[in-house]
Amino acid sequence: MINIGILAVQGAFIEHHYILERLGVKTFEIRQLKDLKKGMDGLILPGGESTTMGKLLHDLELFKPLQDLIQEGLPVLGTCAGMILLAKKLTNDSHIHFQTMDIEVERNAYGRQLGSFFTNALFGDTEIPMTFIRAPYISKVGSNVEILSIVNDRIVAAKEGNQLATAFHPELTDSTYIHEYFLSIIKAR
Ligand code: GLN
C-alpha cells in the first residue's frame, strides 16, 4: 500500500491529503525528524511561503535528510512554493533550497501574467484546471527536464526523473489528475 509523506511545517498541506484520500492513498504529515522513520513511497512539498518553509526545514533538521531522500530517487511532487524548494536556481532570490531539480525558477511573478488566477490548460495532452496563487514559473530547464505544461508562454509544470513540479496548486481544484500522475511515477519506480 502506497504511503505518502506530506511536508506539513507551513502552507497548504491538508488539501493534498484530501485529494489523496479521495484516491484511496494513505498519507502522513512530516513535521519533525522522527516522522521520517515511518518511511514513505512519495513526498509532497506543498504551496505556502518558500523562504519560511526553507528556514523551518533547517530549524527542524529536516533539510538534509529530505534532500538525501530526493537525491536517492524518492518520488517528489513540489507545488508552487514546493517547486521553489526543488529548484537548482532562483532568478530573483538569494535563498535557494534543495537544488535537486535542474530548473531555474522566478518567484512571485505576482501582478504580471502569472500572478493569482484560475485557468484550464494542457498538462501533457490533457486539459486540467489550474489555480495559480502568487505563482512562480520556470524560466529555464536543464536537458533532462521534461516540460509538461506551458501557460501564457511560461513553463508551469515539469518533470525530471523522480521529481515533478507545478507552479499551480493541483490540490485546490476538483481534479485529481496531477496526483494520479504522481502516483504513476511512484508505481513506476
Ligand atoms: N509566492 C510563494 C513563495 O515564493 C509561493 C506561492 C504559493 O505557494 N502559493 O514562496
Side-chain angles (χ1 to χ4, degrees):
M1 175 140 184
I2 292 178
N3 194 15
I4 294 185
I6 305 176
L7 183 67
V9 294
Q10 194 268 337
F13 48 86
I14 193 80
E15 291 80 359
H16 284 285
H17 162 75
Y18 290 141
I19 296 252
L20 289 165
E21 190 175 49
R22 273 168 60 194
L23 295 171
V25 173
K26 251 178 65 188
T27 69
F28 66 96
E29 294 183 353
I30 301 170
R31 292 176 181 275
Q32 46 186 327
L33 194 53
K34 72 172 180 7
D35 295 328
L36 298 183
K37 286 201 199 113
K38 293 170 188 145
M40 60 187 131
D41 306 298
L43 166 68
I44 292 187
L45 305 173
E49 213 287 316
S50 56
T51 310
T52 308
M53 266 195 248
K55 185 181 178 308
L56 288 169
L57 281 169
H58 285 286
D59 291 353
L60 297 163
E61 291 173 22
L62 284 166
F63 185 85
K64 182 79 170 75
L66 288 177
Q67 187 182 43
D68 287 348
L69 286 169
I70 298 168
Q71 262 155 359
E72 286 159 15
L74 177 71
V76 57
L77 166 62
T79 62
C80 204
M83 175 171 96
I84 295 170
L85 292 180
L86 293 173
K88 191 147 278 176
K89 200 172 159 199
L90 300 178
T91 44
N92 56 348
D93 197 324
S94 57
H95 302 93
I96 28 174
H97 309 280
F98 291 130
Q99 290 183 268
T100 48
M101 188 166 178
D102 197 4
I103 53 175
E104 212 173 293
V105 167
E106 174 128 357
R107 280 186 71 192
N108 296 329
Y110 195 26
R112 292 187 247 159
Q113 277 170 303
L114 273 192
S116 302
F117 66 97
F118 174 85
T119 188
N120 287 296
L122 286 179
F123 177 92
D125 44 26
T126 305
E127 191 174 286
I128 59 164
M130 298 180 183
T131 299
F132 293 85
I133 302 171
R134 291 190 298 285
Y137 71 91
I138 301 172
S139 49
K140 214 168 168 182
V141 297
S143 53
N144 292 323
V145 177
E146 186 187 346
I147 295 170
L148 292 167
S149 182
I150 295 178
V151 172
N152 296 342
D153 298 325
R154 285 170 170 182
I155 303 166
V156 297
K159 176 181 180 293
E160 181 182 10
N162 56 313
Q163 304 180 74
L164 175 63
T166 68
F168 52 91
H169 286 260
E171 77 286 10
L172 298 182
T173 62
D174 275 345
S175 169
T176 54
Y177 191 86
I178 296 293
H179 291 80
E180 288 178 68
Y181 185 87
F182 181 49
L183 292 175
S184 74
I185 296 175
I186 293 175
K187 286 172 190 159
R189 195 188 179 201

